[in-house]
PDB file of all heavy atoms in Angstrom:
ATOM      1  N   GLY L  10       0.797  -1.223   0.000  1.00 85.00           N
ATOM      2  CA  GLY L  10       0.000   0.000   0.000  1.00 85.00           C
ATOM      3  C   GLY L  10       0.827   1.269   0.000  1.00 85.00           C
ATOM      4  O   GLY L  10       0.699   2.113  -0.900  1.00 85.00           O
ATOM      5  N   PRO L  11       1.707   1.462   0.997  1.00 86.00           N
ATOM      6  CA  PRO L  11       2.514   2.691   1.003  1.00 86.00           C
ATOM      7  C   PRO L  11       3.393   2.833  -0.234  1.00 86.00           C
ATOM      8  O   PRO L  11       3.580   3.938  -0.749  1.00 86.00           O
ATOM      9  CB  PRO L  11       3.362   2.538   2.280  1.00 86.00           C
ATOM     10  CG  PRO L  11       2.572   1.620   3.152  1.00 86.00           C
ATOM     11  CD  PRO L  11       1.898   0.655   2.216  1.00 86.00           C
ATOM     12  N   PHE L  12       3.949   1.703  -0.730  1.00 90.00           N
ATOM     13  CA  PHE L  12       4.821   1.784  -1.892  1.00 90.00           C
ATOM     14  C   PHE L  12       4.037   2.149  -3.151  1.00 90.00           C
ATOM     15  O   PHE L  12       4.486   2.964  -3.966  1.00 90.00           O
ATOM     16  CB  PHE L  12       5.548   0.448  -2.076  1.00 90.00           C
ATOM     17  CG  PHE L  12       6.620   0.486  -3.138  1.00 90.00           C
ATOM     18  CD1 PHE L  12       7.565   1.497  -3.158  1.00 90.00           C
ATOM     19  CD2 PHE L  12       6.684  -0.489  -4.118  1.00 90.00           C
ATOM     20  CE1 PHE L  12       8.556   1.544  -4.135  1.00 90.00           C
ATOM     21  CE2 PHE L  12       7.662  -0.460  -5.097  1.00 90.00           C
ATOM     22  CZ  PHE L  12       8.611   0.560  -5.099  1.00 90.00           C
ATOM     23  N   MET L  13       2.840   1.566  -3.320  1.00 89.00           N
ATOM     24  CA  MET L  13       2.013   1.903  -4.474  1.00 89.00           C
ATOM     25  C   MET L  13       1.630   3.384  -4.446  1.00 89.00           C
ATOM     26  O   MET L  13       1.623   4.064  -5.480  1.00 89.00           O
ATOM     27  CB  MET L  13       0.764   1.027  -4.515  1.00 89.00           C
ATOM     28  CG  MET L  13      -0.277   1.452  -5.556  1.00 89.00           C
ATOM     29  SD  MET L  13       0.361   1.545  -7.243  1.00 89.00           S
ATOM     30  CE  MET L  13       0.253  -0.174  -7.739  1.00 89.00           C
ATOM     31  N   ILE L  14       1.310   3.907  -3.279  1.00 83.00           N
ATOM     32  CA  ILE L  14       0.965   5.325  -3.161  1.00 83.00           C
ATOM     33  C   ILE L  14       2.143   6.194  -3.591  1.00 83.00           C
ATOM     34  O   ILE L  14       1.983   7.197  -4.302  1.00 83.00           O
ATOM     35  CB  ILE L  14       0.530   5.654  -1.722  1.00 83.00           C
ATOM     36  CG1 ILE L  14      -0.819   5.007  -1.413  1.00 83.00           C
ATOM     37  CG2 ILE L  14       0.445   7.169  -1.512  1.00 83.00           C
ATOM     38  CD1 ILE L  14      -1.231   5.097   0.042  1.00 83.00           C
ATOM     39  N   THR L  15       3.354   5.801  -3.188  1.00 87.00           N
ATOM     40  CA  THR L  15       4.539   6.567  -3.559  1.00 87.00           C
ATOM     41  C   THR L  15       4.763   6.542  -5.071  1.00 87.00           C
ATOM     42  O   THR L  15       4.991   7.582  -5.699  1.00 87.00           O
ATOM     43  CB  THR L  15       5.778   6.013  -2.841  1.00 87.00           C
ATOM     44  OG1 THR L  15       5.607   6.150  -1.427  1.00 87.00           O
ATOM     45  CG2 THR L  15       7.039   6.756  -3.261  1.00 87.00           C
ATOM     46  N   VAL L  16       4.699   5.347  -5.679  1.00 89.00           N
ATOM     47  CA  VAL L  16       4.972   5.212  -7.104  1.00 89.00           C
ATOM     48  C   VAL L  16       3.877   5.880  -7.936  1.00 89.00           C
ATOM     49  O   VAL L  16       4.165   6.636  -8.878  1.00 89.00           O
ATOM     50  CB  VAL L  16       5.114   3.721  -7.483  1.00 89.00           C
ATOM     51  CG1 VAL L  16       5.273   3.552  -8.992  1.00 89.00           C
ATOM     52  CG2 VAL L  16       6.307   3.094  -6.759  1.00 89.00           C
ATOM     53  N   ALA L  17       2.615   5.626  -7.593  1.00 87.00           N
ATOM     54  CA  ALA L  17       1.519   6.259  -8.322  1.00 87.00           C
ATOM     55  C   ALA L  17       1.514   7.764  -8.085  1.00 87.00           C
ATOM     56  O   ALA L  17       1.153   8.541  -8.976  1.00 87.00           O
ATOM     57  CB  ALA L  17       0.185   5.650  -7.889  1.00 87.00           C
ATOM     58  N   GLY L  18       1.916   8.188  -6.885  1.00 85.00           N
ATOM     59  CA  GLY L  18       1.982   9.614  -6.588  1.00 85.00           C
ATOM     60  C   GLY L  18       2.976  10.330  -7.478  1.00 85.00           C
ATOM     61  O   GLY L  18       2.746  11.475  -7.890  1.00 85.00           O
ATOM     62  N   ARG L  19       4.096   9.689  -7.773  1.00 87.00           N
ATOM     63  CA  ARG L  19       5.062  10.304  -8.692  1.00 87.00           C
ATOM     64  C   ARG L  19       4.444  10.513 -10.068  1.00 87.00           C
ATOM     65  O   ARG L  19       4.623  11.553 -10.701  1.00 87.00           O
ATOM     66  CB  ARG L  19       6.288   9.400  -8.829  1.00 87.00           C
ATOM     67  CG  ARG L  19       7.186   9.347  -7.623  1.00 87.00           C
ATOM     68  CD  ARG L  19       8.518   8.717  -7.989  1.00 87.00           C
ATOM     69  NE  ARG L  19       9.237   8.315  -6.789  1.00 87.00           N
ATOM     70  CZ  ARG L  19       9.549   7.073  -6.493  1.00 87.00           C
ATOM     71  NH1 ARG L  19       9.235   6.102  -7.320  1.00 87.00           N
ATOM     72  NH2 ARG L  19      10.203   6.798  -5.393  1.00 87.00           N
ATOM     73  N   ALA L  20       3.717   9.477 -10.534  1.00 82.00           N
ATOM     74  CA  ALA L  20       3.072   9.589 -11.850  1.00 82.00           C
ATOM     75  C   ALA L  20       2.037  10.713 -11.852  1.00 82.00           C
ATOM     76  O   ALA L  20       1.801  11.352 -12.882  1.00 82.00           O
ATOM     77  CB  ALA L  20       2.421   8.259 -12.224  1.00 82.00           C
ATOM     78  N   ALA L  21       1.411  10.961 -10.704  1.00 80.00           N
ATOM     79  CA  ALA L  21       0.382  12.003 -10.612  1.00 80.00           C
ATOM     80  C   ALA L  21       0.974  13.382 -10.329  1.00 80.00           C
ATOM     81  O   ALA L  21       0.251  14.380 -10.334  1.00 80.00           O
ATOM     82  CB  ALA L  21      -0.618  11.638  -9.516  1.00 80.00           C
ATOM     83  N   GLY L  22       2.290  13.418 -10.048  1.00 80.00           N
ATOM     84  CA  GLY L  22       2.937  14.694  -9.767  1.00 80.00           C
ATOM     85  C   GLY L  22       2.927  15.080  -8.315  1.00 80.00           C
ATOM     86  O   GLY L  22       3.062  16.266  -7.973  1.00 80.00           O
ATOM     87  N   CYS L  23       2.801  14.089  -7.414  1.00 79.00           N
ATOM     88  CA  CYS L  23       2.747  14.383  -5.980  1.00 79.00           C
ATOM     89  C   CYS L  23       4.111  14.372  -5.311  1.00 79.00           C
ATOM     90  O   CYS L  23       4.210  14.632  -4.117  1.00 79.00           O
ATOM     91  CB  CYS L  23       1.858  13.367  -5.275  1.00 79.00           C
ATOM     92  SG  CYS L  23       0.154  13.364  -5.833  1.00 79.00           S
ATOM     93  N   GLY L  24       5.143  13.995  -6.030  1.00 68.00           N
ATOM     94  CA  GLY L  24       6.446  13.859  -5.396  1.00 68.00           C
ATOM     95  C   GLY L  24       6.594  12.497  -4.757  1.00 68.00           C
ATOM     96  O   GLY L  24       5.933  11.527  -5.131  1.00 68.00           O
ATOM     97  N   ASP L  25       7.465  12.404  -3.753  1.00 61.00           N
ATOM     98  CA  ASP L  25       7.783  11.115  -3.126  1.00 61.00           C
ATOM     99  C   ASP L  25       7.126  10.929  -1.770  1.00 61.00           C
ATOM    100  O   ASP L  25       7.561  10.117  -0.965  1.00 61.00           O
ATOM    101  CB  ASP L  25       9.301  10.971  -2.952  1.00 61.00           C
ATOM    102  CG  ASP L  25      10.000  10.786  -4.281  1.00 61.00           C
ATOM    103  OD1 ASP L  25       9.365  10.235  -5.200  1.00 61.00           O
ATOM    104  OD2 ASP L  25      11.168  11.199  -4.405  1.00 61.00           O
ATOM    105  N   SER L  26       6.072  11.674  -1.478  1.00 52.00           N
ATOM    106  CA  SER L  26       5.403  11.539  -0.181  1.00 52.00           C
ATOM    107  C   SER L  26       4.831  10.141  -0.031  1.00 52.00           C
ATOM    108  O   SER L  26       4.086   9.669  -0.872  1.00 52.00           O
ATOM    109  CB  SER L  26       4.263  12.551  -0.062  1.00 52.00           C
ATOM    110  OG  SER L  26       3.556  12.339   1.140  1.00 52.00           O
ATOM    111  N   PRO L  27       5.172   9.419   1.062  1.00 49.00           N
ATOM    112  CA  PRO L  27       4.692   8.059   1.240  1.00 49.00           C
ATOM    113  C   PRO L  27       3.326   7.956   1.898  1.00 49.00           C
ATOM    114  O   PRO L  27       2.840   6.869   2.123  1.00 49.00           O
ATOM    115  CB  PRO L  27       5.762   7.457   2.175  1.00 49.00           C
ATOM    116  CG  PRO L  27       6.177   8.621   3.026  1.00 49.00           C
ATOM    117  CD  PRO L  27       6.121   9.830   2.114  1.00 49.00           C
ATOM    118  N   ASP L  28       2.721   9.087   2.244  1.00 53.00           N
ATOM    119  CA  ASP L  28       1.433   8.980   2.929  1.00 53.00           C
ATOM    120  C   ASP L  28       0.298   9.053   1.922  1.00 53.00           C
ATOM    121  O   ASP L  28       0.499   9.067   0.724  1.00 53.00           O
ATOM    122  CB  ASP L  28       1.288  10.053   4.024  1.00 53.00           C
ATOM    123  CG  ASP L  28       1.383  11.464   3.449  1.00 53.00           C
ATOM    124  OD1 ASP L  28       0.949  11.660   2.299  1.00 53.00           O
ATOM    125  OD2 ASP L  28       1.895  12.353   4.162  1.00 53.00           O
ATOM    126  N   ASP L  29      -0.926   9.072   2.434  1.00 50.00           N
ATOM    127  CA  ASP L  29      -2.094   8.991   1.558  1.00 50.00           C
ATOM    128  C   ASP L  29      -2.748  10.356   1.345  1.00 50.00           C
ATOM    129  O   ASP L  29      -3.929  10.441   1.058  1.00 50.00           O
ATOM    130  CB  ASP L  29      -3.113   8.007   2.139  1.00 50.00           C
ATOM    131  CG  ASP L  29      -3.585   8.402   3.523  1.00 50.00           C
ATOM    132  OD1 ASP L  29      -3.079   9.399   4.042  1.00 50.00           O
ATOM    133  OD2 ASP L  29      -4.447   7.690   4.070  1.00 50.00           O
ATOM    134  N   THR L  30      -1.950  11.421   1.471  1.00 52.00           N
ATOM    135  CA  THR L  30      -2.537  12.752   1.356  1.00 52.00           C
ATOM    136  C   THR L  30      -2.556  13.269  -0.075  1.00 52.00           C
ATOM    137  O   THR L  30      -3.093  14.344  -0.324  1.00 52.00           O
ATOM    138  CB  THR L  30      -1.760  13.753   2.233  1.00 52.00           C
ATOM    139  OG1 THR L  30      -0.371  13.757   1.804  1.00 52.00           O
ATOM    140  CG2 THR L  30      -1.820  13.349   3.699  1.00 52.00           C
ATOM    141  N   CYS L  31      -1.957  12.521  -1.008  1.00 56.00           N
ATOM    142  CA  CYS L  31      -1.919  12.989  -2.391  1.00 56.00           C
ATOM    143  C   CYS L  31      -3.315  12.930  -3.007  1.00 56.00           C
ATOM    144  O   CYS L  31      -3.922  11.868  -3.089  1.00 56.00           O
ATOM    145  CB  CYS L  31      -0.959  12.143  -3.215  1.00 56.00           C
ATOM    146  SG  CYS L  31      -0.888  12.640  -4.946  1.00 56.00           S
ATOM    147  N   LYS L  32      -3.815  14.094  -3.436  1.00 66.00           N
ATOM    148  CA  LYS L  32      -5.157  14.152  -4.023  1.00 66.00           C
ATOM    149  C   LYS L  32      -5.125  14.135  -5.549  1.00 66.00           C
ATOM    150  O   LYS L  32      -6.174  14.046  -6.187  1.00 66.00           O
ATOM    151  CB  LYS L  32      -5.878  15.422  -3.549  1.00 66.00           C
ATOM    152  CG  LYS L  32      -5.937  15.582  -2.036  1.00 66.00           C
ATOM    153  CD  LYS L  32      -6.629  14.422  -1.348  1.00 66.00           C
ATOM    154  CE  LYS L  32      -6.710  14.665   0.165  1.00 66.00           C
ATOM    155  NZ  LYS L  32      -7.250  13.499   0.883  1.00 66.00           N
ATOM    156  N   ARG L  33      -3.931  14.254  -6.143  1.00 76.00           N
ATOM    157  CA  ARG L  33      -3.847  14.220  -7.596  1.00 76.00           C
ATOM    158  C   ARG L  33      -4.190  12.826  -8.100  1.00 76.00           C
ATOM    159  O   ARG L  33      -4.009  11.831  -7.386  1.00 76.00           O
ATOM    160  CB  ARG L  33      -2.453  14.628  -8.057  1.00 76.00           C
ATOM    161  CG  ARG L  33      -2.116  16.079  -7.701  1.00 76.00           C
ATOM    162  CD  ARG L  33      -0.857  16.544  -8.396  1.00 76.00           C
ATOM    163  NE  ARG L  33      -0.551  17.918  -8.048  1.00 76.00           N
ATOM    164  CZ  ARG L  33       0.454  18.609  -8.585  1.00 76.00           C
ATOM    165  NH1 ARG L  33       1.234  18.038  -9.490  1.00 76.00           N
ATOM    166  NH2 ARG L  33       0.674  19.847  -8.219  1.00 76.00           N
ATOM    167  N   THR L  34      -4.661  12.759  -9.335  1.00 77.00           N
ATOM    168  CA  THR L  34      -5.232  11.513  -9.821  1.00 77.00           C
ATOM    169  C   THR L  34      -4.368  10.846 -10.882  1.00 77.00           C
ATOM    170  O   THR L  34      -3.546  11.492 -11.546  1.00 77.00           O
ATOM    171  CB  THR L  34      -6.635  11.756 -10.401  1.00 77.00           C
ATOM    172  OG1 THR L  34      -6.525  12.647 -11.529  1.00 77.00           O
ATOM    173  CG2 THR L  34      -7.553  12.344  -9.356  1.00 77.00           C
ATOM    174  N   VAL L  35      -4.581   9.541 -11.019  1.00 79.00           N
ATOM    175  CA  VAL L  35      -4.025   8.761 -12.118  1.00 79.00           C
ATOM    176  C   VAL L  35      -5.191   8.158 -12.889  1.00 79.00           C
ATOM    177  O   VAL L  35      -6.286   7.972 -12.346  1.00 79.00           O
ATOM    178  CB  VAL L  35      -3.080   7.651 -11.610  1.00 79.00           C
ATOM    179  CG1 VAL L  35      -1.826   8.246 -11.013  1.00 79.00           C
ATOM    180  CG2 VAL L  35      -3.791   6.762 -10.590  1.00 79.00           C
ATOM    181  N   ASP L  36      -4.944   7.848 -14.135  1.00 77.00           N
ATOM    182  CA  ASP L  36      -6.000   7.323 -14.997  1.00 77.00           C
ATOM    183  C   ASP L  36      -6.014   5.801 -14.932  1.00 77.00           C
ATOM    184  O   ASP L  36      -5.012   5.140 -15.229  1.00 77.00           O
ATOM    185  CB  ASP L  36      -5.779   7.777 -16.440  1.00 77.00           C
ATOM    186  CG  ASP L  36      -6.895   7.297 -17.362  1.00 77.00           C
ATOM    187  OD1 ASP L  36      -7.919   7.993 -17.464  1.00 77.00           O
ATOM    188  OD2 ASP L  36      -6.744   6.211 -17.945  1.00 77.00           O
ATOM    189  N   VAL L  37      -7.148   5.226 -14.527  1.00 80.00           N
ATOM    190  CA  VAL L  37      -7.335   3.774 -14.473  1.00 80.00           C
ATOM    191  C   VAL L  37      -8.551   3.425 -15.314  1.00 80.00           C
ATOM    192  O   VAL L  37      -9.694   3.649 -14.897  1.00 80.00           O
ATOM    193  CB  VAL L  37      -7.526   3.280 -13.025  1.00 80.00           C
ATOM    194  CG1 VAL L  37      -7.671   1.753 -13.006  1.00 80.00           C
ATOM    195  CG2 VAL L  37      -6.360   3.712 -12.151  1.00 80.00           C
ATOM    196  N   LEU L  38      -8.309   2.937 -16.524  1.00 77.00           N
ATOM    197  CA  LEU L  38      -9.382   2.552 -17.440  1.00 77.00           C
ATOM    198  C   LEU L  38     -10.384   3.692 -17.633  1.00 77.00           C
ATOM    199  O   LEU L  38     -11.606   3.494 -17.624  1.00 77.00           O
ATOM    200  CB  LEU L  38     -10.095   1.296 -16.921  1.00 77.00           C
ATOM    201  CG  LEU L  38      -9.228   0.048 -16.750  1.00 77.00           C
ATOM    202  CD1 LEU L  38     -10.043  -1.089 -16.152  1.00 77.00           C
ATOM    203  CD2 LEU L  38      -8.612  -0.370 -18.076  1.00 77.00           C
ATOM    204  N   GLY L  39      -9.870   4.886 -17.772  1.00 76.00           N
ATOM    205  CA  GLY L  39     -10.725   6.045 -18.002  1.00 76.00           C
ATOM    206  C   GLY L  39     -11.238   6.707 -16.744  1.00 76.00           C
ATOM    207  O   GLY L  39     -11.859   7.776 -16.815  1.00 76.00           O
ATOM    208  N   LEU L  40     -10.997   6.099 -15.589  1.00 75.00           N
ATOM    209  CA  LEU L  40     -11.419   6.694 -14.319  1.00 75.00           C
ATOM    210  C   LEU L  40     -10.246   7.451 -13.709  1.00 75.00           C
ATOM    211  O   LEU L  40      -9.103   6.971 -13.713  1.00 75.00           O
ATOM    212  CB  LEU L  40     -11.893   5.603 -13.352  1.00 75.00           C
ATOM    213  CG  LEU L  40     -13.073   4.751 -13.805  1.00 75.00           C
ATOM    214  CD1 LEU L  40     -13.315   3.632 -12.797  1.00 75.00           C
ATOM    215  CD2 LEU L  40     -14.321   5.606 -13.959  1.00 75.00           C
ATOM    216  N   HIS L  41     -10.522   8.615 -13.156  1.00 79.00           N
ATOM    217  CA  HIS L  41      -9.477   9.421 -12.525  1.00 79.00           C
ATOM    218  C   HIS L  41      -9.544   9.182 -11.016  1.00 79.00           C
ATOM    219  O   HIS L  41     -10.442   9.671 -10.325  1.00 79.00           O
ATOM    220  CB  HIS L  41      -9.667  10.901 -12.863  1.00 79.00           C
ATOM    221  CG  HIS L  41      -9.532  11.172 -14.332  1.00 79.00           C
ATOM    222  ND1 HIS L  41      -8.320  11.207 -14.975  1.00 79.00           N
ATOM    223  CD2 HIS L  41     -10.480  11.394 -15.288  1.00 79.00           C
ATOM    224  CE1 HIS L  41      -8.504  11.454 -16.259  1.00 79.00           C
ATOM    225  NE2 HIS L  41      -9.803  11.572 -16.479  1.00 79.00           N
ATOM    226  N   LEU L  42      -8.574   8.409 -10.521  1.00 76.00           N
ATOM    227  CA  LEU L  42      -8.560   8.005  -9.120  1.00 76.00           C
ATOM    228  C   LEU L  42      -7.396   8.663  -8.404  1.00 76.00           C
ATOM    229  O   LEU L  42      -6.285   8.755  -8.940  1.00 76.00           O
ATOM    230  CB  LEU L  42      -8.429   6.482  -9.007  1.00 76.00           C
ATOM    231  CG  LEU L  42      -9.477   5.646  -9.755  1.00 76.00           C
ATOM    232  CD1 LEU L  42      -9.195   4.164  -9.568  1.00 76.00           C
ATOM    233  CD2 LEU L  42     -10.886   5.995  -9.280  1.00 76.00           C
ATOM    234  N   ALA L  43      -7.646   9.116  -7.174  1.00 74.00           N
ATOM    235  CA  ALA L  43      -6.590   9.728  -6.377  1.00 74.00           C
ATOM    236  C   ALA L  43      -5.482   8.720  -6.123  1.00 74.00           C
ATOM    237  O   ALA L  43      -5.746   7.571  -5.754  1.00 74.00           O
ATOM    238  CB  ALA L  43      -7.160  10.227  -5.058  1.00 74.00           C
ATOM    239  N   ALA L  44      -4.240   9.160  -6.325  1.00 77.00           N
ATOM    240  CA  ALA L  44      -3.109   8.253  -6.114  1.00 77.00           C
ATOM    241  C   ALA L  44      -3.085   7.723  -4.690  1.00 77.00           C
ATOM    242  O   ALA L  44      -2.751   6.551  -4.449  1.00 77.00           O
ATOM    243  CB  ALA L  44      -1.805   8.977  -6.432  1.00 77.00           C
ATOM    244  N   GLY L  45      -3.449   8.566  -3.725  1.00 71.00           N
ATOM    245  CA  GLY L  45      -3.449   8.129  -2.332  1.00 71.00           C
ATOM    246  C   GLY L  45      -4.493   7.083  -2.006  1.00 71.00           C
ATOM    247  O   GLY L  45      -4.389   6.375  -1.003  1.00 71.00           O
ATOM    248  N   SER L  46      -5.525   6.959  -2.849  1.00 73.00           N
ATOM    249  CA  SER L  46      -6.585   5.975  -2.615  1.00 73.00           C
ATOM    250  C   SER L  46      -6.447   4.734  -3.482  1.00 73.00           C
ATOM    251  O   SER L  46      -7.239   3.798  -3.342  1.00 73.00           O
ATOM    252  CB  SER L  46      -7.957   6.613  -2.902  1.00 73.00           C
ATOM    253  OG  SER L  46      -8.192   7.718  -2.074  1.00 73.00           O
ATOM    254  N   LEU L  47      -5.440   4.718  -4.362  1.00 82.00           N
ATOM    255  CA  LEU L  47      -5.332   3.629  -5.336  1.00 82.00           C
ATOM    256  C   LEU L  47      -5.224   2.245  -4.695  1.00 82.00           C
ATOM    257  O   LEU L  47      -5.912   1.318  -5.137  1.00 82.00           O
ATOM    258  CB  LEU L  47      -4.142   3.884  -6.271  1.00 82.00           C
ATOM    259  CG  LEU L  47      -4.013   2.936  -7.466  1.00 82.00           C
ATOM    260  CD1 LEU L  47      -5.281   2.953  -8.319  1.00 82.00           C
ATOM    261  CD2 LEU L  47      -2.798   3.326  -8.310  1.00 82.00           C
ATOM    262  N   PRO L  48      -4.398   2.028  -3.641  1.00 80.00           N
ATOM    263  CA  PRO L  48      -4.340   0.689  -3.047  1.00 80.00           C
ATOM    264  C   PRO L  48      -5.699   0.206  -2.526  1.00 80.00           C
ATOM    265  O   PRO L  48      -6.039  -0.976  -2.660  1.00 80.00           O
ATOM    266  CB  PRO L  48      -3.341   0.847  -1.896  1.00 80.00           C
ATOM    267  CG  PRO L  48      -2.491   1.994  -2.306  1.00 80.00           C
ATOM    268  CD  PRO L  48      -3.419   2.941  -3.021  1.00 80.00           C
ATOM    269  N   SER L  49      -6.483   1.115  -1.955  1.00 75.00           N
ATOM    270  CA  SER L  49      -7.804   0.718  -1.452  1.00 75.00           C
ATOM    271  C   SER L  49      -8.726   0.294  -2.590  1.00 75.00           C
ATOM    272  O   SER L  49      -9.449  -0.690  -2.483  1.00 75.00           O
ATOM    273  CB  SER L  49      -8.434   1.876  -0.678  1.00 75.00           C
ATOM    274  OG  SER L  49      -7.659   2.223   0.437  1.00 75.00           O
ATOM    275  N   TYR L  50      -8.676   1.040  -3.697  1.00 81.00           N
ATOM    276  CA  TYR L  50      -9.506   0.679  -4.841  1.00 81.00           C
ATOM    277  C   TYR L  50      -9.079  -0.662  -5.433  1.00 81.00           C
ATOM    278  O   TYR L  50      -9.918  -1.481  -5.819  1.00 81.00           O
ATOM    279  CB  TYR L  50      -9.429   1.772  -5.907  1.00 81.00           C
ATOM    280  CG  TYR L  50     -10.173   3.035  -5.553  1.00 81.00           C
ATOM    281  CD1 TYR L  50      -9.524   4.268  -5.553  1.00 81.00           C
ATOM    282  CD2 TYR L  50     -11.522   3.006  -5.214  1.00 81.00           C
ATOM    283  CE1 TYR L  50     -10.208   5.431  -5.226  1.00 81.00           C
ATOM    284  CE2 TYR L  50     -12.207   4.169  -4.891  1.00 81.00           C
ATOM    285  CZ  TYR L  50     -11.549   5.372  -4.897  1.00 81.00           C
ATOM    286  OH  TYR L  50     -12.218   6.521  -4.572  1.00 81.00           O
ATOM    287  N   LEU L  51      -7.784  -0.903  -5.506  1.00 86.00           N
ATOM    288  CA  LEU L  51      -7.291  -2.171  -6.047  1.00 86.00           C
ATOM    289  C   LEU L  51      -7.705  -3.338  -5.154  1.00 86.00           C
ATOM    290  O   LEU L  51      -8.118  -4.393  -5.645  1.00 86.00           O
ATOM    291  CB  LEU L  51      -5.766  -2.125  -6.182  1.00 86.00           C
ATOM    292  CG  LEU L  51      -5.212  -1.160  -7.232  1.00 86.00           C
ATOM    293  CD1 LEU L  51      -3.695  -1.076  -7.129  1.00 86.00           C
ATOM    294  CD2 LEU L  51      -5.630  -1.585  -8.634  1.00 86.00           C
ATOM    295  N   THR L  52      -7.601  -3.137  -3.846  1.00 80.00           N
ATOM    296  CA  THR L  52      -8.015  -4.197  -2.915  1.00 80.00           C
ATOM    297  C   THR L  52      -9.501  -4.476  -3.040  1.00 80.00           C
ATOM    298  O   THR L  52      -9.935  -5.634  -3.059  1.00 80.00           O
ATOM    299  CB  THR L  52      -7.666  -3.794  -1.476  1.00 80.00           C
ATOM    300  OG1 THR L  52      -6.252  -3.585  -1.370  1.00 80.00           O
ATOM    301  CG2 THR L  52      -8.089  -4.869  -0.494  1.00 80.00           C
ATOM    302  N   SER L  53     -10.298  -3.430  -3.149  1.00 77.00           N
ATOM    303  CA  SER L  53     -11.748  -3.606  -3.285  1.00 77.00           C
ATOM    304  C   SER L  53     -12.084  -4.351  -4.572  1.00 77.00           C
ATOM    305  O   SER L  53     -12.933  -5.259  -4.576  1.00 77.00           O
ATOM    306  CB  SER L  53     -12.449  -2.244  -3.269  1.00 77.00           C
ATOM    307  OG  SER L  53     -12.242  -1.589  -2.042  1.00 77.00           O
ATOM    308  N   PHE L  54     -11.427  -3.982  -5.668  1.00 84.00           N
ATOM    309  CA  PHE L  54     -11.687  -4.655  -6.937  1.00 84.00           C
ATOM    310  C   PHE L  54     -11.308  -6.133  -6.860  1.00 84.00           C
ATOM    311  O   PHE L  54     -12.047  -7.001  -7.335  1.00 84.00           O
ATOM    312  CB  PHE L  54     -10.911  -3.979  -8.068  1.00 84.00           C
ATOM    313  CG  PHE L  54     -11.115  -4.640  -9.406  1.00 84.00           C
ATOM    314  CD1 PHE L  54     -12.277  -4.417 -10.141  1.00 84.00           C
ATOM    315  CD2 PHE L  54     -10.157  -5.501  -9.921  1.00 84.00           C
ATOM    316  CE1 PHE L  54     -12.476  -5.046 -11.361  1.00 84.00           C
ATOM    317  CE2 PHE L  54     -10.347  -6.123 -11.143  1.00 84.00           C
ATOM    318  CZ  PHE L  54     -11.506  -5.896 -11.865  1.00 84.00           C
ATOM    319  N   ALA L  55     -10.167  -6.421  -6.238  1.00 86.00           N
ATOM    320  CA  ALA L  55      -9.733  -7.819  -6.115  1.00 86.00           C
ATOM    321  C   ALA L  55     -10.699  -8.635  -5.269  1.00 86.00           C
ATOM    322  O   ALA L  55     -10.991  -9.794  -5.578  1.00 86.00           O
ATOM    323  CB  ALA L  55      -8.327  -7.882  -5.524  1.00 86.00           C
ATOM    324  N   THR L  56     -11.219  -8.041  -4.179  1.00 80.00           N
ATOM    325  CA  THR L  56     -12.138  -8.780  -3.316  1.00 80.00           C
ATOM    326  C   THR L  56     -13.464  -9.046  -4.028  1.00 80.00           C
ATOM    327  O   THR L  56     -14.034 -10.140  -3.922  1.00 80.00           O
ATOM    328  CB  THR L  56     -12.399  -8.017  -2.011  1.00 80.00           C
ATOM    329  OG1 THR L  56     -12.895  -6.710  -2.311  1.00 80.00           O
ATOM    330  CG2 THR L  56     -11.135  -7.897  -1.188  1.00 80.00           C
TER     331      THR L  56
END
């Protein structure tokens, strides 16, 4: 979770912050999801 937030945050332009405060988004199949929330969305989709 923390590592995905960091890596996706870089792609979104959030820098290297490891926390979940990044509000900038990444594109996931046409959906704009906050980088800080991406691990939660991935876990929900997998479940």
Side-chain angles (χ1 to χ4, degrees):
F12 188 49
M13 171 56 83
I14 291 171
T15 298
V16 175
R19 288 194 196 117
C23 299
D25 290 331
S26 175
D28 60 33
D29 59 357
T30 58
C31 179
K32 305 301 182 186
R33 296 191 180 185
T34 62
V35 292
D36 182 86
V37 182
L38 300 177
L40 300 174
H41 297 284
L42 305 179
S46 300
L47 188 57
S49 298
Y50 287 125
L51 292 172
T52 300
S53 298
F54 179 78
T56 56

